[in-house]
Amino acid sequence: MDNLLPLPTFNDITAANGRINGYAHRTPVLTSRTISEELGAEVFFKCENLQRMGAFKFRGAFNALSRFSETQRKAGVVAFSSGNHAQAIALAAGLLNMPATIVMPHDAPAAKVAATKGYGGNVVIYDRYKEDREQIGRELAAKHGLTLIPPYDHPDVIAGQGTAAYELFEEVGQLDALFVPLGGGGLLAGTSLSKGAMSPDTALYGVEPESGNDGQQSFRTGSIVHIDTPVTIADGAQTQHLGNYTFPLIQKGVRDILTAGDQELINCMKFFAARMKIIVEPTGCLGLAAARQMKDQLAGKRVGVIVSGGNIDLAKFSELTSR
Ligand SMILES: *Cc1c(COP(=O)(O)O)cnc(C)c1O
């Protein structure tokens, strides 16, 4: 399928950076002597677990909604997601005074439904086994004139996500390597644009769950590979394929795609909590897990890790970290 819109460029990242200014948090870049000693490298963590609503997705959602025309704004936005994208769209829409409709599966965790409603989202529940959420989304969009914003495969979403790495490079300068969690590729594609302009020699790595390495297969074969929904605790990266906008940007700017197993993610969750006093969701641990695997190649280097999110309920957190 052909893309209707042009691919985003670095100019779109700087424009997005201006739009989110004052709405998104400029998240801190944290360091840890323990991890720098472990890797023999200087490691910088861009902490998007401390972003509004708990993940970088607020950046892309807010940037996309800020670009709506007056007509689009009046009718509002529709999104389908049970995860961080839903909350990001609901929060961004609330801040921009527009209605948001979020289509969620009947078995979505009650906490996520409640959080989305709490941000002012109008939640429409569908039966995951009997109904097709894309069709429901499209019908709602057609009937009420809503604009659909997908979780990753949209130029404005990609440009917004790229502002996290933009801030990181602005703050710490050039890096030798940068590790980024990978689902559908919005964060990685946006990061590759920022890297290309601000730190072109950085070796950029996307990191997926081991059980869902469609991005690695796509990157290595040169065409988008589709897989079944992978079984992993990294629920933010349970995507089945990269997108038509994200894939070419990833092909162009990324050095390689790596994977990490669930137990490695748990070890990183424990590290973040015990040593750095931060709560990171399993998907947010993908970058550090891959950096740890590549330890031998990172000695003496300046290494960035994007910590993409921190949304995990406490019961799940304690269950996983006591395994
Ligand atoms: C959505 C998400 C990802 C994956 O982002 P993509 O843009 O789909 O690649 C990674 N981490 C967290 C916490 C997320 O919510």
Side-chain angles (χ1 to χ4, degrees):
M1 209 170 62
D2 288 334
N3 291 334
L4 298 173
L5 301 165
L7 286 178
T9 66
F10 182 64
N11 283 340
D12 297 302
I13 309 257
T14 54
N17 185 58
R19 288 186 200 106
I20 67 170
N21 185 17
Y23 294 96
H25 294 318
R26 185 181 175 106
T27 53
V29 177
L30 300 183
T31 57
S32 148
R33 206 162 75 184
T34 310
I35 205 74
S36 289
E37 275 169 15
E38 180 188 317
L39 298 185
E42 206 177 347
V43 183
F44 302 94
F45 294 100
K46 178 65 173 166
C47 289
E48 289 296 298
N49 58 314
L50 302 176
Q51 185 51 267
R52 288 185 84 159
M53 56 61 57
F56 72 90
K57 287 222 174 53
F58 179 71
R59 296 173 182 271
F62 191 87
N63 184 52
L65 300 198
S66 319
R67 299 204 63 199
F68 276 21
S69 70
E70 201 44 47
T71 317
Q72 287 178 303
R73 213 176 266 260
K74 280 215 178 86
V77 58
V78 60
F80 33 78
S81 162
S82 52
N84 288 334
H85 178 61
Q87 290 167 62
I89 290 286
L91 175 58
L95 292 168
L96 292 164
N97 285 315
M98 68 172 92
T101 303
I102 313 294
V103 184
M104 293 180 124
H106 67 285
D107 55 354
K112 294 212 161 155
V113 177
T116 306
K117 286 184 177 164
Y119 289 129
N122 158 30
V123 175
V124 173
I125 300 287
Y126 75 101
D127 185 334
R128 192 200 282 277
Y129 301 105
K130 295 189 189 137
E131 296 171 292
D132 174 6
R133 67 177 190 174
E134 302 208 11
Q135 195 186 328
I136 293 175
R138 273 195 302 269
E139 277 169 15
L140 283 167
K143 194 166 161 206
H144 304 289
L146 312 181
T147 303
L148 179 71
I149 295 296
Y152 55 87
D153 207 27
H154 189 290
D156 297 336
V157 173
I158 294 169
Q161 316 307 30
T163 61
Y166 179 98
E167 290 174 3
L168 174 62
F169 290 126
E170 211 175 44
E171 192 154 331
V172 307
Q174 311 247 329
L175 295 169
D176 297 307
L178 177 57
F179 295 88
V180 180
L182 171 61
L187 181 62
L188 184 58
T191 301
S192 90
L193 291 172
S194 293
K195 178 216 90 144
M198 300 173 81
S199 185
D201 295 334
T202 299
L204 175 59
Y205 298 98
V207 192
E208 287 179 309
E210 212 162 68
S211 60
N213 74 334
D214 60 288
Q216 186 179 59
Q217 294 180 48
S218 305
F219 187 77
R220 293 181 183 177
T221 62
S223 62
I224 299 175
V225 170
H226 291 240
I227 58 167
D228 289 338
T229 301
V231 178
T232 168
I233 59 169
D235 56 350
Q238 279 180 311
T239 39
Q240 295 171 267
H241 55 87
L242 299 177
N244 292 322
Y245 292 99
T246 60
F247 184 52
L249 295 170
I250 288 169
Q251 277 183 302
K252 184 154 178 262
V254 169
R255 175 72 57 89
D256 201 4
I257 310 252
L258 312 168
T259 65
D262 282 358
Q263 187 56 51
E264 294 172 90
L265 300 179
I266 291 171
N267 295 342
C268 292
M269 286 169 71
K270 289 184 188 171
F271 163 79
F272 280 123
R275 293 307 184 123
M276 295 181 67
K277 321 300 171 196
I278 57 175
I279 302 292
V280 181
E281 63 183 275
T283 317
C285 292
L286 284 163
L288 176 59
R292 280 177 147 174
Q293 293 168 12
M294 276 187 59
K295 174 175 161 27
D296 294 346
Q297 294 163 66
L298 298 177
K301 304 241 162 102
R302 289 167 53 80
V303 177
V305 172
I306 297 189
V307 177
S308 55
N311 288 330
I312 179 165
D313 65 55
L314 218 44
K316 185 82 188 168
F317 184 84
S318 44
E319 186 229 311
L320 290 177
T321 51
S322 56
R323 267 192 204 171

